[in-house]
Amino acid sequence: LQKHVAQLKVGFGLIDASSLSRVENAQRSYDYWNPMINYKKSSREISIQNRGRRNLPYSKYDDLKGKVAIVTGAGRGMGKAIAEGLASNGSVVIVNDVNVEEARRVCQGIIDRGQEAMAFQADVSNHQQVLQMVDAVLQRYGGIDILVNNAGVLRRRRSVEEIDEKEWDLVMNVNVNGVFNCSKAVMTIMKRQK
């Protein structure tokens, strides 16, 4: 019997079945992968079109050139990867994070690659801080084209019985109210720019 070997096409190479589990684990990490997966049972082939893996060229999206993008929670993880991806495709990126040092580090990395970025510390759960960030972006760049509501907190996974009100409030304020605050602050601006 001829054995079918699963092949994984990634960018410009092939990975054999022994490496498949390692790749599947990496695939789950959005910080590392942004794949589009298509599984074909008949040929037992998994094709992955890589769109954002670190250390590989990002896809070229001409419609992002010159756009002003705010990425919340961009100091690390998925937000950092999104900010870097937007910058590599020609967008001006506002790297927002509650931790100003992380925001500055990501911003400097983007600038070192010859792209434009600005770091801005703001707590997205605080409506006034969000408005200050949006005003600063408008004064410097004259508009906002893209908002990526990425900021979020997740404490240890526990049951509802184990979570206290303070922790619940923090998660809801950042993950829900933060999205509301940022979306509300830029919505009118974006509508005007259409």
Side-chain angles (χ1 to χ4, degrees), residues 6-142:
Q7 293 180 336
L8 185 66
K9 295 180 180 179
V10 179
F12 17 56
L14 294 176
I15 298 176
D16 63 16
S18 65
S19 301
L20 189 58
S21 65
R22 191 176 64 217
V23 171
E24 287 173 341
N25 287 337
Q27 166 190 331
R28 290 187 194 103
S29 170
Y30 287 107
D31 183 30
Y32 195 73
W33 290 91
N34 185 9
M36 188 167 73
I37 300 171
N38 180 22
Y39 182 70
K40 300 175 189 172
K41 287 185 180 178
S42 60
S43 64
R44 294 181 185 259
E45 183 179 89
I46 299 174
S47 299
I48 293 184
Q49 180 185 17
N50 191 322
R51 289 185 163 185
R53 183 174 173 214
R54 264 196 271 183
N55 302 323
L56 290 178
Y58 289 96
S59 298
K60 297 292 183 196
Y61 295 102
D62 289 334
D63 57 338
L64 293 175
K65 287 183 181 171
K67 301 289 185 183
V68 178
I70 296 175
V71 183
T72 66
R76 60 189 169 110
M78 190 166 50
K80 176 185 175 191
I82 292 167
E84 290 172 344
L86 286 166
S88 71
N89 284 290
S91 294
V92 175
V93 180
I94 289 69
V95 179
N96 162 254
D97 204 278
V98 71
N99 183 328
V100 71
E101 293 306 316
E102 288 182 352
R104 285 182 182 150
R105 185 177 37 81
V106 172
C107 182
Q108 191 59 52
I110 291 170
I111 292 168
D112 289 346
R113 287 189 294 277
Q115 297 138 356
E116 191 169 355
M118 176 176 101
F120 201 95
Q121 180 185 19
D123 178 355
V124 296
S125 68
N126 183 315
H127 187 66
Q128 289 299 355
Q129 289 184 26
V130 171
L131 290 177
Q132 289 172 356
M133 174 177 64
V134 168
D135 286 343
V137 173
L138 286 175
Q139 287 178 14
R140 186 165 177 179
Y141 298 107

